[in-house]
Amino acid sequence: GAGVSQTPSNKVTEKGKYVELRCDPISGHTALYWYRQSLGQGPEFLIYFQGTGAADDSGLPNDRFFAVRPEGSVSTLKIQRTERGDSAMYLCASSYDRGSEAFFGQGTRLTVV
Amino acid sequence: GIQVEQSPPDLILQEGANSTLRCNFSDSVNNLQWFHQNPWGQLINLFYIPSGTKQNGRLSATTVATERYSLLYISSSQTTDSGVYFCAVDPISSGSARQLTFGSGTQLTVLP
């Protein structure tokens, strides 16, 4: 597609439930990043994929968070046993290669009630 | 890790006014990007500017990498310029991921 696409735009879930957030990067971009943005703050890095592999997951807050990119294109961020503190905007970015200009999707606003 | 400081944190302008937003960073960087976050949360790319000066319409940006700062100039501001402006850097020390580290942003409000 023309830009990075994220679905859903909004997700409301109950505490303890499992959620999946999807990111479809710009075609041909090999690098894919997930960020999380809390209210009033800048986005913070979660995980980086180069191709199919998670090259750097150092930003994931705990083992309830996991992400995959099985075919080197679409990525899914998975959150198990959601907590109210997980409520945030989740942003996906892609770039042609690591370190080149990053382009962001419109984000998924997750609310855990 | 690297510190990215943006100033001012909040800015209110009358339509037609000019403004300068500043981004200071504490370590050497590979590159720097400026974004505008609209009210719906979308981050819009403004500039990819590791060094030098670039212009795009009413916006221009200058990065002086050796002095570790970047400036974003907005001229003849319009109400549609309202939103949060973020500076983000790719530090030399970021490792293989080359992920961006963001500042806290400048909240700009342009009044009609």
Side-chain angles (χ1 to χ4, degrees):
Chain A
V4 180
S5 177
Q6 291 187 245
T7 54
S9 299
N10 286 282
K11 176 71 176 179
V12 180
T13 190
E14 292 181 348
K15 180 175 177 295
K17 298 289 189 182
Y18 167 83
V19 296
E20 290 189 351
L21 312 179
R22 175 188 167 106
C23 172
D24 197 344
I26 293 172
S27 179
H29 280 193
T30 61
L32 186 147
Y33 301 81
W34 285 97
Y35 291 80
R36 180 168 72 173
Q37 184 179 20
S38 300
L39 204 60
Q41 299 180 15
E44 295 181 328
F45 169 73
L46 293 177
I47 187 170
Y48 156 66
F49 289 89
Q50 182 64 41
T52 59
D56 186 339
D57 64 358
S58 61
L60 295 178
N62 52 61
D63 61 6
R64 295 186 296 104
F65 288 74
F66 188 70
V68 296
R69 193 187 186 197
E71 298 178 357
S73 179
V74 171
S75 176
T76 304
L77 179 65
K78 309 180 181 196
I79 310 174
Q80 299 177 324
R81 304 183 304 280
T82 52
E83 300 177 356
R84 292 197 178 87
D86 299 335
S87 296
M89 174 74 91
Y90 289 82
L91 294 162
C92 175
S94 72
S95 58
Y96 180 75
D97 197 358
R98 63 187 183 96
S100 55
E101 185 175 6
F103 296 86
F104 282 78
Q106 81 278 22
T108 294
R109 190 174 299 279
L110 175 67
T111 304
V112 182
V113 298
Chain B
I2 194 168
Q3 303 300 311
V4 182
E5 297 182 355
Q6 292 188 241
S7 59
D10 297 279
L11 184 59
I12 300 175
L13 299 174
Q14 206 66 42
E15 196 168 30
N18 303 328
S19 62
T20 300
L21 281 56
R22 186 176 180 102
C23 173
N24 292 335
F25 41 96
S26 61
D27 203 353
S28 299
V29 299
N30 294 305
N31 66 65
L32 183 147
Q33 289 189 240
W34 281 98
F35 297 93
H36 174 211
Q37 189 165 43
N38 65 23
W40 299 271
Q42 171 91 55
L43 282 168
I44 308 298
N45 287 44
L46 298 178
F47 295 101
Y48 175 84
I49 184 167
S51 64
T53 297
K54 291 186 176 180
Q55 181 154 8
N56 184 1
R58 295 182 296 104
L59 302 182
S60 64
T62 296
T63 297
V64 184
T66 53
E67 297 187 19
R68 299 180 182 171
Y69 73 89
S70 184
L71 302 174
L72 177 69
Y73 305 95
I74 305 174
S75 65
S76 304
S77 58
Q78 301 175 357
T79 56
T80 51
D81 295 333
S82 296
V84 183
Y85 288 79
F86 285 105
C87 164
V89 302
D90 164 18
I92 296 285
S93 60
S94 71
S96 63
R98 306 282 299 274
Q99 73 270 24
L100 294 172
T101 299
F102 284 76
S104 296
T106 292
Q107 172 76 58
L108 175 64
T109 303
V110 181
L111 303 175

